[in-house]
């Protein structure tokens, strides 16, 4: 068994946002999602959230400011924050790879 980090865990409870997003995804696609699918979903929602907070959503300065002031955004499996410097704080999951499958080990905040 090796260890691997990821931004999601299939066995942990999802947030309300996560439950809705996965329900919609399953209606649209027959294949299972991946980490990239999850990050794309969250990223699109974060961008929409930033655009919604600008009076003029074509103002790049406003959108950039709002993206860098994303606080406690509810992602698929927990809240994430984007700081002034663009760095994101979010939970990360440590999984063990055993028998060709990921098995959850711990959620790190």
């Amino acid at each position: 068994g090796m260890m691997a980090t990821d931004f999601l865990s299939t066995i942990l409870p999802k947030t309300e946002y996560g439950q809705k997003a996965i329900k919609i995804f399953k209606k649209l696609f027959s294949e299972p999602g991946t980490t990239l699918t999850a990050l794309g979903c969250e990223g699109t929602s974060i961008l929409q959230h930033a655009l919604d907070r600008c009076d003029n959503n074509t103002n790049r300065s406003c959108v950039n400011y709002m993206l860098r002031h994303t606080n406690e955004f509810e992602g698929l499996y927990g809240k994430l924050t984007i700081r002034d410097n663009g760095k994101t704080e979010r939970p990360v999951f440590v999984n063990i790879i055993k028998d060709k499958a990921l098995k959850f080990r711990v959620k790190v905040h």
Side-chain angles (χ1 to χ4, degrees), residues 8 24-26 30 46 53 69 74 91-92 95 102 107:
L8 61 94
I24 291 169
F25 182 85
K26 286 183 177 182
S30 58
I46 290 167
R53 292 183 290 151
H69 290 84
E74 185 176 282
V92 174
N95 298 300
L102 288 177
K107 179 179 179 181

Side-chain angles (χ1 to χ4, degrees), residues 37-83:
T37 306
L39 291 173
C41 177
E42 285 182 339
T44 301
S45 295
I46 290 167
L47 176 59
Q48 185 64 55
H49 181 65
L51 291 168
D52 289 346
R53 292 183 290 151
C54 291
D55 291 334
N56 175 0
N57 63 17
T58 62
N59 180 330
R60 290 185 348 183
S61 294
C62 179
V63 174
N64 188 40
Y65 180 86
M66 292 303 177
L67 284 171
R68 290 173 179 254
H69 290 84
T70 299
N71 293 308
E72 298 291 310
F73 180 85
E74 185 176 282
L76 296 169
Y77 293 91
K79 296 192 183 287
L80 59 100
T81 295
I82 303 174
R83 299 284 177 212

